[in-house]
Amino acid sequence: MKATGTSVVALGGLGSVTSSAAAQEVDLPPLARDGNKIVDPSGKEVRLRGVNIADPGEQSRTWRGQTAPETFELATNEAEGWYTNVVRVPVMPSFLAAGTKNAKPSEMPHGDDWGPALPGQFDRDDVKWYCRTFLDELVELGAQRGAYVMIDYHRHYPVFHQEDHKNHGVDPNVWQCSSDGGEDWRHPEVCGERGVLWHGEDQVDEIWDLIHEQNILEAYDLEEDDIFLEPPEISNALDEELHMFWEIVASRYADDDHVIFDVYNEPNGPYGGDWGGPQRQAGELSAPAEAPGDGDASNYDVASEDMKAWYDLWVDRAQPWVDTVEENANGQLITIGSPRWSQYTYWAPHNEFDTENMCYTAHVYTQDDLRPLSKYFGQPSEHVPVFFSEFGWIEGGGMHVDTPWMDCSGKHDGDCQPYIQEYEEFIKNYDVHPLAWCFDHTYEPNMFEHGTPGLNDGAKGADDWMNYLNDETPGVWWHELNQEMADGYDDFAPGDDPYPDADNGENDLHIGPGDITGDPYPDDGGDGNETISVGEYEARDLDGDGRYEDVNGDNETTHGDVNALFENRNADGVQNNPEKFDFDGNGRFGFSDILELLEKI
C-alpha cells in the first residue's frame, strides 16, 4: 500500500541514470495479440507495465528542469527501482503546432498556453519536425533500454478553461465564458468540459436520434440549443489531421518493433449523457435532473445496454484512422481509446475494430461510477487486450486545482486508501497492462512533488526534482509496486517475427454494431450488481472473482462485512451458496472463511 511521509528521495537521484543504459540493452521482439493476451515470438504471454511521461515539447521548456530523454532514462532505470518495460509518450497537437523547442505561450495555437489546438493547426512538416526533434531519440532510447514506446496522439480537453480551475492562477479572462458563442467562441475563450468532439459530419443525425431516444434533453434540463456538435469544417479537419499524423508517424517507425501506436488518447463526447458545450460545463452524470426515458439514472451508466450505440458510432468513425496506422506499419500493436475520455472500454469486446493486432485502452481516476474496476475494465480484459494506460489519484485535490474526478472526494470523503487498494487488486488479478499517470512534477496526478519554485526542494525549475517522489499520488506506491511485480512476464523471447498463431480473431463476445440482449458478460463471476440475501443484507461480488466479499452491500469491503458474515453465517444465503463465501479456497464455507475475509482488509 501507500508509504507515508512528505518526501521520498529516489535511490541515488539522477547520478546513475545515464550510466546504466548499456547494461539494460535488450533485443526487443515484435509483439502480437493472441486472444486477450499479448505474446512474444515464442507464444509466451507478455505483460507490459510502465508510466506516462509529459509531452516532450512541454518538457523542452527550460523551467521544467529535465528533458523527455532524461525523464525516460530514469523511468527505465532498474538501479533506481524502476522496472518499466513500456513508456507512453503523449504527443499534443498544441506542441506539434508550436513547431519550436521551449515554446512560449505566444507561440502556441491562438497564443494560448493552455487552450486547445483546433484541428488543422499543424501540417506535415510540423509532424516531421516533431519526430526529428523529440520522438526519434525516445524511440532509440527504448531500443537501448529495453522498453516499448507507445506513441500517443494526445487530444484532451482544455483543463484551464474550466471554472473549477479558476484558482490555478490563470487570468479570469481565460477561463470565464465571455464569448457570445457561434464559430468565434474558440478564439481565444473556451468553456465547457470537453475538447474537440470525435464525431463525423455524417453521424449528426444518428446522434440526434440517440439524444431523443435516451431522453438527454429532459434528464439534464436542456434545450436543443444547449447541445453542441462540431460544425463540418471542424469534424472534417479532425479526420484529415488523424490520417496525416498517423500516415507520417506509423510509416516512420514501421521498422521499430518496439513502437506501439496509440491512435486516439481520449475521445470525449458525444456519449450517453451530457457532454457540455462551449459556454457551459457538463452536467452531473451521476445525478441528472430526471430519469432518462422510462428507466432510472442508471440507464446512463457505461454498462447500460443502450450505451453501446455510442460505442458503435465511435468504431465507425475511428476504423479508417486505425486502417491508416495498419497500412503504414508492419503489424505492430495498435491501441485506441473510447468515448467519455476512454471510459467505454466495457464495450470493446462486443464491437471490435477490424485490425490484426488491436488492443484497447482504459482511463480511470477516482470516479465512483466506474467502480468496481473489475466490472468496467476487468471483464473486457478477459476477452481483449486492455492497456490500463491512465490511472491515479491526488490526496487533497492537487496543488491549486479542485479535481473531483481524481481527488477521492466521492463516497470515501477524501480517503484515497480504498481506491489505492482496488487499483492494486485489479492490476494483480487481471491481465491488463498498467501505465500510471504521470511520471512528471506538473501533469497531475504528478508522481514527483511540485516543490516550492526557487527553493531547490523538488521545485518545478530545480535540477533535482526527480529526487522527490510524491506520496500523495501514485509516485511512491507505483515505485514500490512495479518492483514487486517484476517477474517472468518481463523476459521477452527473441525473434524477428510475431508469434505465427496470434491474430485478432473474433473474441467470444464479438457481435458488432446493434443491440444486445441479456447479460453482456454472462460467464463472469459477478459484476457488482448481482446480490445474495444474507440476513438483512444484500451481499455483492465487487471484483468479479465469484466471491461475495461485500457482505453488507455498501460497495466496499471493511470490518463491517466481517461482522455481517459472522452474525449471519447460518443464513440461507450463505449456507445455500457456500462457494460464494469460500474465501480460503478449501471448497466449503466455515469459520476459517470469516478469518480469511478479515485478512483481506
Side-chain angles (χ1 to χ4, degrees):
M1 295 299 292
K2 183 178 71 66
T4 59
T6 59
S7 177
V8 177
V9 179
L11 304 177
L14 287 170
S16 59
V17 172
T18 56
S19 63
S20 63
Q24 292 184 216
E25 288 186 6
V26 175
D27 182 16
L28 290 170
L31 301 177
R33 168 183 172 169
D34 193 7
N36 72 324
K37 305 289 194 298
I38 294 174
V39 296
D40 65 20
S42 73
K44 176 186 175 183
E45 181 183 357
V46 168
R47 291 185 191 168
L48 300 178
R49 181 186 62 257
V51 295
N52 294 263
I53 63 173
D55 180 290
E58 173 81 81
Q59 292 195 76
S60 72
R61 291 171 160 176
T62 54
W63 64 264
R64 297 189 109 264
Q66 303 297 334
T67 64
E70 290 172 315
T71 305
F72 192 107
E73 288 180 343
L74 177 61
T76 55
N77 189 353
E78 293 183 5
E80 298 287 350
W82 293 107
Y83 290 82
T84 297
N85 56 27
V86 61
V87 176
R88 184 167 177 253
V89 181
V91 179
M92 296 183 178
S94 54
F95 285 100
L96 279 163
T100 183
K101 281 189 171 184
N102 192 26
K104 300 178 177 63
S106 60
E107 295 172 311
M108 303 293 280
H110 311 315
D112 179 358
D113 200 23
W114 301 112
L118 292 179
Q121 299 297 306
F122 61 83
D123 58 23
R124 298 179 66 89
D125 287 339
D126 290 324
V127 179
K128 293 176 182 177
W129 170 86
Y130 190 97
C131 291
R132 291 193 306 270
T133 306
F134 299 120
L135 294 184
D136 287 356
E137 184 174 3
L138 296 179
V139 169
E140 178 60 28
L141 271 176
Q144 293 175 1
R145 304 181 67 80
Y148 289 83
V149 179
M150 179 184 287
I151 299 176
D152 157 38
Y153 172 85
H154 198 88
R155 274 206 172 275
H156 68 314
Y157 74 105
V159 293
F160 292 105
H161 289 269
Q162 314 308 313
E163 186 172 357
D164 356 353
H165 295 69
K166 63 186 178 183
N167 294 324
H168 204 279
V170 179
D171 190 292
N173 290 330
V174 172
W175 61 261
Q176 286 179 345
C177 297
S178 55
S179 168
D180 60 359
E183 295 180 1
D184 296 331
W185 68 268
R186 308 162 187 268
H187 186 70
E189 299 87 5
V190 176
C191 289
E193 204 163 322
R194 61 164 190 79
V196 175
L197 302 186
W198 55 258
H199 69 81
E201 177 185 7
D202 60 342
Q203 295 179 309
V204 171
D205 289 343
E206 292 179 88
I207 292 169
W208 274 111
D209 288 343
L210 287 175
I211 288 170
H212 292 300
E213 289 172 11
Q214 297 180 3
N215 202 40
I216 289 173
L217 297 178
E218 292 80 6
Y220 293 98
D221 194 22
L222 303 173
E223 302 294 333
E224 286 196 356
D225 289 345
D226 292 322
I227 297 294
F228 179 81
L229 295 172
E230 297 293 357
E233 60 267 26
I234 298 299
S235 58
N236 292 336
L238 178 66
D239 183 62
E240 294 172 4
E241 178 174 291
L242 264 295
H243 286 295
M244 174 186 67
F245 178 87
W246 284 117
E247 177 186 339
I248 296 169
V249 173
S251 60
R252 189 180 188 93
Y253 304 113
D255 294 327
D256 295 293
D257 292 332
H258 65 293
V259 173
I260 301 168
F261 303 112
D262 193 15
V263 179
Y264 203 117
N265 168 53
E266 287 180 343
N268 41 56
Y271 54 84
D274 174 22
W275 54 84
Q279 299 193 46
R280 64 183 180 83
Q281 303 251 1
E284 291 293 332
L285 292 176
S286 59
E290 62 180 77
D294 297 327
D296 57 28
S298 65
N299 280 14
Y300 290 138
D301 183 85
V302 166
S304 171
E305 291 184 10
D306 290 340
M307 297 305 103
K308 181 176 177 293
W310 299 98
Y311 189 85
D312 291 343
L313 283 176
W314 162 246
V315 173
D316 290 342
R317 172 64 157 159
Q319 181 68 57
W321 304 334
V322 171
D323 291 343
T324 292
V325 177
E326 189 166 51
E327 290 165 4
N328 286 279
N330 296 326
Q332 282 137 288
L333 293 182
I334 297 175
T335 63
I336 197 166
S338 59
R340 214 184 92 161
W341 293 274
S342 294
Q343 296 167 10
Y344 268 53
T345 317
Y346 183 87
W347 294 111
H350 298 275
N351 187 8
E352 286 220 57
F353 285 87
D354 184 14
T355 304
E356 182 179 3
N357 282 317
M358 194 73 223
C359 308
Y360 302 88
T361 62
H363 295 179
V364 61
Y365 291 91
T366 63
Q367 302 98 322
D368 290 325
D369 61 354
L370 291 171
R371 264 66 184 183
L373 298 177
S374 57
K375 173 182 179 178
Y376 295 95
F377 306 108
Q379 288 179 338
S381 77
E382 294 178 345
H383 303 274
V384 299
V386 170
F387 279 76
F388 198 51
S389 54
E390 285 192 25
F391 64 93
W393 67 89
I394 307 176
E395 291 186 358
M399 186 177 180
H400 299 294
V401 183
D402 295 327
T403 48
W405 42 275
M406 68 166 61
D407 66 1
C408 315
S409 62
K411 68 179 183 180
H412 297 296
D413 298 322
D415 180 8
C416 292
Q417 290 303 313
Y419 299 101
I420 298 170
Q421 180 178 349
E422 187 178 13
Y423 281 137
E424 187 164 333
E425 292 176 352
F426 173 70
I427 290 168
K428 290 181 176 179
N429 291 335
Y430 288 92
D431 292 332
V432 295
H433 307 273
L435 294 92
W437 183 278
C438 182
F439 203 82
D440 189 50
H441 57 59
T442 300
Y443 284 17
E444 295 183 328
N446 46 302
M447 293 173 65
F448 295 84
E449 294 187 7
H450 284 286
T452 305
L455 296 183
N456 200 38
D457 63 347
K460 289 188 283 188
D463 289 337
D464 68 342
W465 65 264
M466 289 184 180
N467 288 345
Y468 294 84
L469 276 172
N470 196 340
D471 70 334
E472 296 180 345
T473 70
V476 172
W477 170 81
W478 189 242
H479 185 242
E480 295 174 351
L481 187 62
N482 92 100
Q483 295 175 60
E484 178 185 336
M485 295 183 67
D487 54 26
Y489 290 111
D490 297 345
D491 299 327
F492 312 122
D496 297 324
D497 299 306
Y499 183 58
D501 295 330
D503 58 31
N504 187 17
E506 290 185 356
N507 65 75
D508 57 346
L509 293 182
H510 183 80
I511 61 172
D515 297 331
I516 62 174
T517 58
D519 184 355
Y521 294 92
D523 297 325
D524 287 326
D527 64 6
N529 288 330
E530 298 83 2
T531 64
I532 295 175
S533 296
V534 177
E536 62 181 291
Y537 304 112
E538 293 296 322
R540 297 177 184 272
D541 174 12
L542 294 181
D543 57 13
D545 66 351
R547 308 291 188 270
Y548 281 54
E549 58 278 294
D550 178 20
V551 182
N552 62 12
D554 65 353
N555 291 316
E556 55 184 333
T557 303
T558 65
H559 287 91
D561 298 293
V562 177
N563 293 335
L565 184 57
F566 175 75
E567 293 168 359
N568 295 279
R569 60 191 181 279
N570 295 320
D572 290 344
V574 176
Q575 295 300 316
N576 294 336
N577 299 278
E579 74 283 359
K580 305 297 186 184
F581 303 93
D582 178 22
F583 299 113
D584 66 3
N586 67 358
R588 59 184 183 275
F589 172 75
F591 190 73
S592 61
D593 295 297
I594 301 174
L595 296 177
E596 184 64 25
L597 181 59
L598 178 62
E599 288 294 321
K600 290 177 175 291
I601 298 172

